[in-house]
Amino acid sequence: MKMNIKQLLEQKSIGTQATISAWVRTKRQSKNVAFINLNDGSTIHNLQVVAETIEEAILAKINTGACIKVEGNIVESSGQQAIELNAEKITILGEADPEKYPLQPKKHSLEFLREIAHLRPRTQTFSAIFRIRHALAFAIHQYFNDNGFFYLHTPIITASDAEGAGEMFRVTTLDLNKLPKDENNNINYKEDFFGKETNLTVSGQLEGELGAMALSKIYTFGPTFRAENSNTSRHLAEFWMIEPEVAFYELEDNMALAEDFLKYVIAYALKNCKDDLEFLEKRLLEEEKSKPQNERSELALLDKLNFVVSNDFEKLTYTNAVEILKNAKKKFQYPVDWGTDLQSEHERYLVEKHFQKPVILTDYPTEIKAFYMKQSEDGKTVRAMDVLFPGIGEIIGGSQREDNFEKLKNRAAQVGIHAEQIWWYLETRQFGACPHAGFGLGFERLVLFVTGMTNIRDVIPFPRTPKSAEF
Ligand code: 4AD
Ligand code: MG
């Protein structure tokens, strides 16, 4: 296999020959020598190339953004890295016109970089984010595999709306200009590709439950889609979700799983993404300097991550949280009353001001939660849980599931889901039903937390948001 810059910098084989292909970050040229900084995305660190004997015609084409192949000799360096590459031959693989290439070596705003999402992975910030994103995905599979969970692939095209929120993207092959109609002049979906109305999935949970009722411990990790028109820094129309589902788990087991799982993946990033996290921490500290004192975060990035890994999450009921919020001195934009859904400002008050640590809220009012959640004896609440994180708000949503056939069927009907639509889901409550529970982690919200970024559009390579699907 060809060597990359990460391997080269780690091996430090002074005196040996090496060939590296990478993109030019910067070039500094004096009369007899040029210093070229190269990066191939394998690490946050650049490789310095020293070019003393390379002809002028080649050097002229080595501009920021160009891709080059360097063959040369590894020598000791007095610069940032222990070694540098003394170029003997340079081949230009792809030029980049300095008049046109938008990523010149200077500070660019995140907003500008979103407009050039096809090039932003070449910046230090975004390459660090995407390496961390990879590491987190890997750690998630590692965690579940080590704990006896099976990775279940649930469908992306479905006929059901698991969350019942009606925020779905339709999937159809019908000609929108010539829609087939039935005798009542409604659209005849029998003529559509699947013979019924279908949409992109909002969650793999319902099918995940079917898996758990056979394999006991499963998880999904796939794309999910929500057509909610909320243009916030926490919402995407296409995002990735991790959904474990476990037979014989009750709410308390589910909470323990969520806490252990989150701590594991964050600890994994701390251990395996040190250079990238240190880079992002420095970047963040720089950015904070321009903010007013009271808006700066109290902990630097690595301290914040270590804090979450080494402290117990606070656990309390929705009812107790509402009491705390009602007694808070802070004036909220949205009023809080038992029965209303908590807004992000409430969640963040609990996490950032009141408890100053991650919080798991449980036992929400039935009315504000999905139909499948386990109904409590009190007749008012369900065995739901939301995990709330500093700077993020809700990172996980989950629950114990209603395993009583009658109760589940009635609740579904109350919210307008007909038994025929989910007959297969309901049947698991008739054939070998058992207590079970699960949750969904929003992957991008996890990446947001770990990287310390503040806009969800900056932690997925090509974000999908209202009116935006360019790349
Ligand atoms: O709370 P949600 O809607 O829960 C479910 O979908 C359940 N079926 C999960 C389960 O129990 N298996 O979504 C789960 C998580 C949220 O806590 C949030 O982190 C993330 O998914 N999420 C989003 N992330 C980005 N953009 C959006 N539009 C999101 N909507 C939810
Ligand atoms: Mg939720």
CSV table of all heavy atoms in Angstrom, one decimal, residues 369-423:
chain,number,residue,atom,x,y,z
A,369,LYS,N,-45.9,12.6,23.7
A,369,LYS,CA,-44.9,11.6,23.2
A,369,LYS,C,-45.5,10.6,22.3
A,369,LYS,O,-46.8,10.6,22.1
A,369,LYS,CB,-44.3,10.8,24.4
A,369,LYS,CG,-43.3,11.7,25.3
A,369,LYS,CD,-42.0,12.0,24.5
A,369,LYS,CE,-41.0,12.7,25.3
A,369,LYS,NZ,-39.9,13.2,24.4
A,370,ALA,N,-44.7,9.8,21.6
A,370,ALA,CA,-45.2,8.9,20.5
A,370,ALA,C,-46.1,7.8,21.1
A,370,ALA,O,-46.0,7.5,22.2
A,370,ALA,CB,-44.0,8.4,19.8
A,371,PHE,N,-46.8,7.2,20.2
A,371,PHE,CA,-47.9,6.3,20.6
A,371,PHE,C,-47.3,5.0,21.2
A,371,PHE,O,-48.0,4.3,21.9
A,371,PHE,CB,-48.8,5.9,19.4
A,371,PHE,CG,-48.1,5.0,18.4
A,371,PHE,CD1,-48.4,3.6,18.4
A,371,PHE,CD2,-47.2,5.4,17.5
A,371,PHE,CE1,-47.9,2.7,17.5
A,371,PHE,CE2,-46.6,4.5,16.6
A,371,PHE,CZ,-46.9,3.2,16.6
A,372,TYR,N,-46.1,4.6,20.8
A,372,TYR,CA,-45.6,3.3,21.2
A,372,TYR,C,-45.0,3.2,22.6
A,372,TYR,O,-44.5,2.2,23.0
A,372,TYR,CB,-44.5,2.9,20.2
A,372,TYR,CG,-43.5,3.9,19.9
A,372,TYR,CD1,-42.5,4.2,20.9
A,372,TYR,CD2,-43.4,4.6,18.7
A,372,TYR,CE1,-41.6,5.2,20.7
A,372,TYR,CE2,-42.5,5.6,18.5
A,372,TYR,CZ,-41.5,5.9,19.5
A,372,TYR,OH,-40.6,6.9,19.3
A,373,MET,N,-45.0,4.3,23.3
A,373,MET,CA,-44.3,4.3,24.6
A,373,MET,C,-45.2,3.7,25.7
A,373,MET,O,-46.4,3.8,25.7
A,373,MET,CB,-44.0,5.8,25.0
A,373,MET,CG,-42.9,6.4,24.1
A,373,MET,SD,-42.3,7.9,24.7
A,373,MET,CE,-41.2,8.3,23.3
A,374,LYS,N,-44.5,3.0,26.6
A,374,LYS,CA,-45.2,2.2,27.7
A,374,LYS,C,-46.0,3.2,28.6
A,374,LYS,O,-45.4,4.1,29.2
A,374,LYS,CB,-44.1,1.5,28.5
A,374,LYS,CG,-44.6,0.8,29.7
A,374,LYS,CD,-44.8,-0.7,29.4
A,374,LYS,CE,-45.4,-1.4,30.6
A,374,LYS,NZ,-46.3,-2.5,30.1
A,375,GLN,N,-47.3,2.9,28.8
A,375,GLN,CA,-48.1,3.7,29.6
A,375,GLN,C,-47.9,3.3,31.1
A,375,GLN,O,-47.8,2.2,31.4
A,375,GLN,CB,-49.6,3.5,29.2
A,375,GLN,CG,-49.8,4.0,27.7
A,375,GLN,CD,-51.1,3.5,27.1
A,375,GLN,OE1,-52.1,3.3,27.8
A,375,GLN,NE2,-51.1,3.2,25.8
A,376,SER,N,-47.9,4.4,31.9
A,376,SER,CA,-47.6,4.1,33.3
A,376,SER,C,-49.0,3.9,34.1
A,376,SER,O,-50.0,4.2,33.6
A,376,SER,CB,-46.9,5.3,34.0
A,376,SER,OG,-45.7,5.5,33.3
A,377,GLU,N,-48.9,3.4,35.3
A,377,GLU,CA,-50.0,3.2,36.1
A,377,GLU,C,-50.8,4.4,36.4
A,377,GLU,O,-52.0,4.4,36.5
A,377,GLU,CB,-49.6,2.6,37.5
A,377,GLU,CG,-48.9,1.3,37.4
A,377,GLU,CD,-49.8,0.2,37.0
A,377,GLU,OE1,-50.9,0.1,37.5
A,377,GLU,OE2,-49.4,-0.6,36.1
A,378,ASP,N,-50.1,5.6,36.4
A,378,ASP,CA,-50.8,6.9,36.8
A,378,ASP,C,-51.8,7.3,35.7
A,378,ASP,O,-52.6,8.3,35.9
A,378,ASP,CB,-49.8,8.0,37.1
A,378,ASP,CG,-48.9,8.3,35.9
A,378,ASP,OD1,-49.2,7.9,34.8
A,378,ASP,OD2,-47.9,9.0,36.1
A,379,GLY,N,-51.7,6.7,34.5
A,379,GLY,CA,-52.6,7.1,33.4
A,379,GLY,C,-52.4,8.4,32.8
A,379,GLY,O,-53.1,8.8,31.9
A,380,LYS,N,-51.3,9.1,33.2
A,380,LYS,CA,-51.0,10.4,32.6
A,380,LYS,C,-49.6,10.4,31.9
A,380,LYS,O,-49.4,11.3,31.1
A,380,LYS,CB,-50.9,11.4,33.8
A,380,LYS,CG,-52.2,11.7,34.5
A,380,LYS,CD,-52.0,12.9,35.5
A,380,LYS,CE,-50.8,12.7,36.4
A,380,LYS,NZ,-50.8,13.7,37.5
A,381,THR,N,-48.7,9.5,32.3
A,381,THR,CA,-47.4,9.6,31.8
A,381,THR,C,-47.0,8.3,31.1
A,381,THR,O,-47.6,7.3,31.3
A,381,THR,CB,-46.3,9.9,32.9
A,381,THR,OG1,-46.4,8.8,33.9
A,381,THR,CG2,-46.6,11.2,33.6
A,382,VAL,N,-45.9,8.4,30.3
A,382,VAL,CA,-45.3,7.3,29.7
A,382,VAL,C,-43.9,7.1,30.1
A,382,VAL,O,-43.2,8.1,30.5
A,382,VAL,CB,-45.4,7.4,28.1
A,382,VAL,CG1,-46.8,7.1,27.6
A,382,VAL,CG2,-44.9,8.7,27.6
A,383,ARG,N,-43.4,5.9,29.9
A,383,ARG,CA,-42.0,5.6,30.4
A,383,ARG,C,-41.0,6.0,29.3
A,383,ARG,O,-40.3,5.2,28.7
A,383,ARG,CB,-41.9,4.1,30.7
A,383,ARG,CG,-42.9,3.7,31.8
A,383,ARG,CD,-42.2,3.2,33.0
A,383,ARG,NE,-41.5,4.3,33.8
A,383,ARG,CZ,-40.6,4.1,34.7
A,383,ARG,NH1,-40.2,2.8,35.0
A,383,ARG,NH2,-40.1,5.1,35.4
A,384,ALA,N,-41.0,7.3,29.1
A,384,ALA,CA,-40.1,7.9,28.1
A,384,ALA,C,-38.8,8.4,28.8
A,384,ALA,O,-38.8,8.6,30.0
A,384,ALA,CB,-40.8,9.1,27.5
A,385,MET,N,-37.8,8.6,28.0
A,385,MET,CA,-36.5,9.2,28.5
A,385,MET,C,-35.9,10.1,27.4
A,385,MET,O,-35.8,9.7,26.2
A,385,MET,CB,-35.5,8.2,29.0
A,385,MET,CG,-35.1,7.2,27.9
A,385,MET,SD,-33.7,6.2,28.5
A,385,MET,CE,-32.7,6.2,27.0
A,386,ASP,N,-35.5,11.2,27.7
A,386,ASP,CA,-34.7,12.1,26.8
A,386,ASP,C,-33.3,12.3,27.5
A,386,ASP,O,-33.3,12.7,28.7
A,386,ASP,CB,-35.4,13.4,26.6
A,386,ASP,CG,-36.4,13.3,25.5
A,386,ASP,OD1,-36.7,12.2,25.0
A,386,ASP,OD2,-36.9,14.4,25.1
A,387,VAL,N,-32.3,12.2,26.8
A,387,VAL,CA,-30.9,12.5,27.4
A,387,VAL,C,-30.6,13.9,26.9
A,387,VAL,O,-30.6,14.2,25.7
A,387,VAL,CB,-29.9,11.5,27.0
A,387,VAL,CG1,-28.5,11.9,27.6
A,387,VAL,CG2,-30.3,10.1,27.4
A,388,LEU,N,-30.3,14.8,27.8
A,388,LEU,CA,-30.0,16.2,27.4
A,388,LEU,C,-28.5,16.5,27.7
A,388,LEU,O,-28.0,16.2,28.7
A,388,LEU,CB,-30.9,17.2,28.3
A,388,LEU,CG,-32.4,16.8,28.4
A,388,LEU,CD1,-33.1,17.8,29.2
A,388,LEU,CD2,-33.0,16.8,27.0
A,389,PHE,N,-27.9,17.2,26.7
A,389,PHE,CA,-26.5,17.5,26.8
A,389,PHE,C,-26.2,19.0,26.8
A,389,PHE,O,-27.0,19.7,26.1
A,389,PHE,CB,-25.7,16.8,25.6
A,389,PHE,CG,-25.0,15.5,26.0
A,389,PHE,CD1,-25.6,14.7,26.9
A,389,PHE,CD2,-23.8,15.2,25.4
A,389,PHE,CE1,-24.9,13.5,27.3
A,389,PHE,CE2,-23.1,14.0,25.7
A,389,PHE,CZ,-23.7,13.2,26.6
A,390,PRO,N,-25.2,19.4,27.5
A,390,PRO,CA,-24.8,20.8,27.4
A,390,PRO,C,-24.5,21.3,26.0
A,390,PRO,O,-23.9,20.6,25.3
A,390,PRO,CB,-23.6,20.9,28.3
A,390,PRO,CG,-23.1,19.5,28.5
A,390,PRO,CD,-24.3,18.6,28.3
A,391,GLY,N,-25.1,22.5,25.7
A,391,GLY,CA,-24.8,23.1,24.4
A,391,GLY,C,-25.6,22.5,23.3
A,391,GLY,O,-25.7,23.0,22.2
A,392,ILE,N,-26.3,21.4,23.6
A,392,ILE,CA,-27.0,20.6,22.5
A,392,ILE,C,-28.5,20.6,22.8
A,392,ILE,O,-29.3,20.8,21.9
A,392,ILE,CB,-26.5,19.1,22.4
A,392,ILE,CG1,-25.0,19.1,22.2
A,392,ILE,CG2,-27.2,18.4,21.3
A,392,ILE,CD1,-24.5,19.5,20.9
A,393,GLY,N,-28.9,20.3,24.1
A,393,GLY,CA,-30.3,19.9,24.4
A,393,GLY,C,-30.4,18.4,24.2
A,393,GLY,O,-29.5,17.7,24.5
A,394,GLU,N,-31.5,18.0,23.6
A,394,GLU,CA,-31.8,16.6,23.4
A,394,GLU,C,-30.8,15.9,22.4
A,394,GLU,O,-30.7,16.3,21.3
A,394,GLU,CB,-33.3,16.4,22.9
A,394,GLU,CG,-33.6,14.9,22.7
A,394,GLU,CD,-34.9,14.7,22.0
A,394,GLU,OE1,-35.8,15.7,22.0
A,394,GLU,OE2,-35.1,13.7,21.3
A,395,ILE,N,-30.1,14.9,23.0
A,395,ILE,CA,-29.2,14.2,22.1
A,395,ILE,C,-29.8,12.8,21.8
A,395,ILE,O,-29.5,12.2,20.8
A,395,ILE,CB,-27.8,14.2,22.7
A,395,ILE,CG1,-26.7,13.7,21.7
A,395,ILE,CG2,-27.7,13.3,24.0
A,395,ILE,CD1,-25.3,14.1,22.1
A,396,ILE,N,-30.5,12.3,22.8
A,396,ILE,CA,-31.2,10.9,22.7
A,396,ILE,C,-32.6,11.1,23.1
A,396,ILE,O,-33.0,11.8,24.0
A,396,ILE,CB,-30.5,9.9,23.7
A,396,ILE,CG1,-29.2,9.4,23.0
A,396,ILE,CG2,-31.4,8.8,24.1
A,396,ILE,CD1,-28.5,8.3,23.9
A,397,GLY,N,-33.5,10.3,22.4
A,397,GLY,CA,-34.9,10.2,22.8
A,397,GLY,C,-35.2,8.7,22.8
A,397,GLY,O,-34.8,8.0,21.8
A,398,GLY,N,-35.9,8.2,23.8
A,398,GLY,CA,-36.2,6.8,23.8
A,398,GLY,C,-37.3,6.5,24.8
A,398,GLY,O,-37.9,7.4,25.4
A,399,SER,N,-37.5,5.2,25.0
A,399,SER,CA,-38.5,4.8,26.0
A,399,SER,C,-38.6,3.3,26.2
A,399,SER,O,-38.0,2.5,25.4
A,399,SER,CB,-39.9,5.2,25.5
A,399,SER,OG,-40.4,4.3,24.4
A,400,GLN,N,-39.3,2.9,27.2
A,400,GLN,CA,-39.7,1.5,27.3
A,400,GLN,C,-40.9,1.4,26.3
A,400,GLN,O,-41.6,2.4,26.2
A,400,GLN,CB,-40.1,1.1,28.7
A,400,GLN,CG,-40.5,-0.4,28.8
A,400,GLN,CD,-40.7,-0.8,30.3
A,400,GLN,OE1,-40.1,-0.2,31.2
A,400,GLN,NE2,-41.5,-1.9,30.4
A,401,ARG,N,-41.2,0.3,25.7
A,401,ARG,CA,-42.3,0.2,24.7
A,401,ARG,C,-43.5,-0.4,25.3
A,401,ARG,O,-43.4,-1.3,26.2
A,401,ARG,CB,-41.9,-0.6,23.5
A,401,ARG,CG,-40.4,-0.4,23.0
A,401,ARG,CD,-40.2,1.1,22.7
A,401,ARG,NE,-38.9,1.3,22.0
A,401,ARG,CZ,-38.3,2.4,21.8
A,401,ARG,NH1,-38.9,3.6,22.2
A,401,ARG,NH2,-37.2,2.5,21.2
A,402,GLU,N,-44.7,0.0,24.8
A,402,GLU,CA,-45.9,-0.6,25.3
A,402,GLU,C,-46.0,-2.0,24.7
A,402,GLU,O,-45.9,-2.2,23.5
A,402,GLU,CB,-47.1,0.2,24.7
A,402,GLU,CG,-48.4,-0.3,25.2
A,402,GLU,CD,-48.5,-0.4,26.8
A,402,GLU,OE1,-48.6,0.7,27.4
A,402,GLU,OE2,-48.3,-1.5,27.3
A,403,ASP,N,-46.0,-3.0,25.6
A,403,ASP,CA,-46.1,-4.4,25.2
A,403,ASP,C,-47.4,-5.0,25.3
A,403,ASP,O,-47.6,-6.2,25.0
A,403,ASP,CB,-45.0,-5.2,25.9
A,403,ASP,CG,-45.0,-5.1,27.4
A,403,ASP,OD1,-45.5,-4.0,27.9
A,403,ASP,OD2,-44.6,-6.0,28.1
A,404,ASN,N,-48.4,-4.2,25.8
A,404,ASN,CA,-49.8,-4.7,25.9
A,404,ASN,C,-50.5,-4.4,24.7
A,404,ASN,O,-50.7,-3.3,24.3
A,404,ASN,CB,-50.4,-4.1,27.2
A,404,ASN,CG,-51.9,-4.5,27.3
A,404,ASN,OD1,-52.7,-4.1,26.5
A,404,ASN,ND2,-52.1,-5.3,28.3
A,405,PHE,N,-51.1,-5.5,24.0
A,405,PHE,CA,-51.7,-5.3,22.7
A,405,PHE,C,-52.8,-4.3,22.7
A,405,PHE,O,-52.9,-3.4,21.9
A,405,PHE,CB,-52.2,-6.7,22.3
A,405,PHE,CG,-53.0,-6.7,21.0
A,405,PHE,CD1,-52.4,-6.4,19.8
A,405,PHE,CD2,-54.4,-6.9,21.0
A,405,PHE,CE1,-53.1,-6.4,18.6
A,405,PHE,CE2,-55.1,-6.8,19.8
A,405,PHE,CZ,-54.5,-6.6,18.6
A,406,GLU,N,-53.8,-4.5,23.7
A,406,GLU,CA,-54.9,-3.6,23.7
A,406,GLU,C,-54.6,-2.1,23.9
A,406,GLU,O,-55.0,-1.2,23.2
A,406,GLU,CB,-55.9,-4.0,24.8
A,406,GLU,CG,-56.6,-5.3,24.6
A,406,GLU,CD,-57.5,-5.3,23.3
A,406,GLU,OE1,-58.0,-4.2,23.0
A,406,GLU,OE2,-57.7,-6.4,22.7
A,407,LYS,N,-53.7,-1.9,24.9
A,407,LYS,CA,-53.3,-0.5,25.2
A,407,LYS,C,-52.6,0.1,24.0
A,407,LYS,O,-52.8,1.3,23.6
A,407,LYS,CB,-52.3,-0.5,26.4
A,407,LYS,CG,-53.0,-0.7,27.7
A,407,LYS,CD,-52.0,-0.5,28.8
A,407,LYS,CE,-52.6,-0.7,30.2
A,407,LYS,NZ,-51.5,-0.8,31.2
A,408,LEU,N,-51.7,-0.7,23.3
A,408,LEU,CA,-51.0,-0.1,22.2
A,408,LEU,C,-52.0,0.2,21.0
A,408,LEU,O,-51.9,1.3,20.4
A,408,LEU,CB,-49.9,-1.1,21.7
A,408,LEU,CG,-49.1,-0.7,20.6
A,408,LEU,CD1,-48.2,0.5,20.9
A,408,LEU,CD2,-48.1,-1.9,20.1
A,409,LYS,N,-52.9,-0.7,20.7
A,409,LYS,CA,-53.8,-0.6,19.7
A,409,LYS,C,-54.7,0.7,19.9
A,409,LYS,O,-54.9,1.5,19.0
A,409,LYS,CB,-54.7,-1.8,19.5
A,409,LYS,CG,-55.4,-1.9,18.2
A,409,LYS,CD,-56.2,-3.2,18.0
A,409,LYS,CE,-57.5,-3.0,18.8
A,409,LYS,NZ,-58.5,-4.1,18.5
A,410,ASN,N,-55.1,0.8,21.2
A,410,ASN,CA,-56.0,2.0,21.5
A,410,ASN,C,-55.3,3.3,21.4
A,410,ASN,O,-55.8,4.3,20.9
A,410,ASN,CB,-56.6,1.8,22.9
A,410,ASN,CG,-57.6,0.7,23.0
A,410,ASN,OD1,-58.1,0.2,21.9
A,410,ASN,ND2,-57.8,0.1,24.2
A,411,ARG,N,-54.0,3.3,21.8
A,411,ARG,CA,-53.3,4.6,21.8
A,411,ARG,C,-53.0,4.9,20.3
A,411,ARG,O,-53.1,6.1,19.9
A,411,ARG,CB,-52.0,4.4,22.6
A,411,ARG,CG,-51.1,5.7,22.7
A,411,ARG,CD,-51.8,6.8,23.5
A,411,ARG,NE,-51.1,8.0,23.3
A,411,ARG,CZ,-51.7,9.2,23.1
A,411,ARG,NH1,-53.0,9.3,23.2
A,411,ARG,NH2,-51.0,10.3,22.9
A,412,ALA,N,-52.7,3.9,19.5
A,412,ALA,CA,-52.4,4.2,18.1
A,412,ALA,C,-53.7,4.8,17.5
A,412,ALA,O,-53.6,5.8,16.8
A,412,ALA,CB,-52.0,2.9,17.4
A,413,ALA,N,-54.8,4.2,17.8
A,413,ALA,CA,-56.1,4.7,17.2
A,413,ALA,C,-56.3,6.1,17.6
A,413,ALA,O,-56.8,7.0,16.8
A,413,ALA,CB,-57.2,3.8,17.6
A,414,GLN,N,-56.0,6.4,18.9
A,414,GLN,CA,-56.2,7.8,19.4
A,414,GLN,C,-55.5,8.8,18.6
A,414,GLN,O,-55.9,9.9,18.4
A,414,GLN,CB,-55.8,7.9,20.9
A,414,GLN,CG,-56.9,7.5,21.9
A,414,GLN,CD,-56.3,7.5,23.3
A,414,GLN,OE1,-55.2,8.0,23.5
A,414,GLN,NE2,-57.0,6.9,24.2
A,415,VAL,N,-54.3,8.5,18.2
A,415,VAL,CA,-53.5,9.4,17.4
A,415,VAL,C,-53.6,9.3,15.9
A,415,VAL,O,-52.9,9.8,15.1
A,415,VAL,CB,-52.0,9.4,17.8
A,415,VAL,CG1,-51.8,9.7,19.3
A,415,VAL,CG2,-51.3,8.1,17.5
A,416,GLY,N,-54.6,8.5,15.5
A,416,GLY,CA,-55.0,8.4,14.1
A,416,GLY,C,-54.2,7.4,13.3
A,416,GLY,O,-54.1,7.4,12.1
A,417,ILE,N,-53.5,6.4,14.0
A,417,ILE,CA,-52.9,5.3,13.2
A,417,ILE,C,-53.8,4.1,13.3
A,417,ILE,O,-54.1,3.6,14.3
A,417,ILE,CB,-51.5,5.0,13.9
A,417,ILE,CG1,-50.6,6.3,14.0
A,417,ILE,CG2,-50.8,3.9,13.1
A,417,ILE,CD1,-49.3,6.1,14.7
A,418,HIS,N,-54.2,3.7,12.1
A,418,HIS,CA,-55.1,2.5,12.0
A,418,HIS,C,-54.4,1.2,12.2
A,418,HIS,O,-53.2,1.1,11.7
A,418,HIS,CB,-55.8,2.6,10.7
A,418,HIS,CG,-56.6,3.8,10.5
A,418,HIS,ND1,-57.6,4.2,11.2
A,418,HIS,CD2,-56.4,4.9,9.6
A,418,HIS,CE1,-58.1,5.4,10.9
A,418,HIS,NE2,-57.3,5.8,9.9
A,419,ALA,N,-55.0,0.3,12.8
A,419,ALA,CA,-54.4,-1.0,13.1
A,419,ALA,C,-54.0,-1.7,11.8
A,419,ALA,O,-52.9,-2.4,11.8
A,419,ALA,CB,-55.4,-1.9,13.8
A,420,GLU,N,-54.7,-1.5,10.7
A,420,GLU,CA,-54.3,-2.2,9.4
A,420,GLU,C,-53.0,-1.7,9.0
A,420,GLU,O,-52.2,-2.4,8.3
A,420,GLU,CB,-55.3,-1.9,8.3
A,420,GLU,CG,-56.8,-2.0,8.5
A,420,GLU,CD,-57.4,-0.8,9.2
A,420,GLU,OE1,-57.6,0.2,8.5
A,420,GLU,OE2,-57.5,-0.8,10.4
A,421,GLN,N,-52.6,-0.4,9.3
A,421,GLN,CA,-51.4,0.1,8.8
A,421,GLN,C,-50.2,-0.5,9.5
A,421,GLN,O,-49.1,-0.6,8.9
A,421,GLN,CB,-51.3,1.6,9.1
A,421,GLN,CG,-52.1,2.5,8.2
A,421,GLN,CD,-52.1,3.9,8.7
A,421,GLN,OE1,-52.9,4.3,9.6
A,421,GLN,NE2,-51.2,4.7,8.2
A,422,ILE,N,-50.4,-0.9,10.7
A,422,ILE,CA,-49.2,-1.4,11.5
A,422,ILE,C,-49.5,-2.8,12.0
A,422,ILE,O,-49.1,-3.2,13.2
A,422,ILE,CB,-48.8,-0.5,12.6
A,422,ILE,CG1,-50.0,0.0,13.4
A,422,ILE,CG2,-48.0,0.7,12.1
A,422,ILE,CD1,-49.6,0.6,14.8
A,423,TRP,N,-50.3,-3.6,11.3
A,423,TRP,CA,-50.7,-4.9,11.8
A,423,TRP,C,-49.5,-5.8,12.2
A,423,TRP,O,-49.6,-6.5,13.2
A,423,TRP,CB,-51.6,-5.6,10.8
A,423,TRP,CG,-50.9,-5.9,9.5
A,423,TRP,CD1,-50.8,-5.1,8.4
A,423,TRP,CD2,-50.1,-7.1,9.2
A,423,TRP,NE1,-50.0,-5.7,7.4
A,423,TRP,CE2,-49.6,-6.9,7.9
A,423,TRP,CE3,-49.8,-8.3,9.8
A,423,TRP,CZ2,-48.7,-7.8,7.3
A,423,TRP,CZ3,-49.0,-9.2,9.2
A,423,TRP,CH2,-48.5,-9.0,7.9
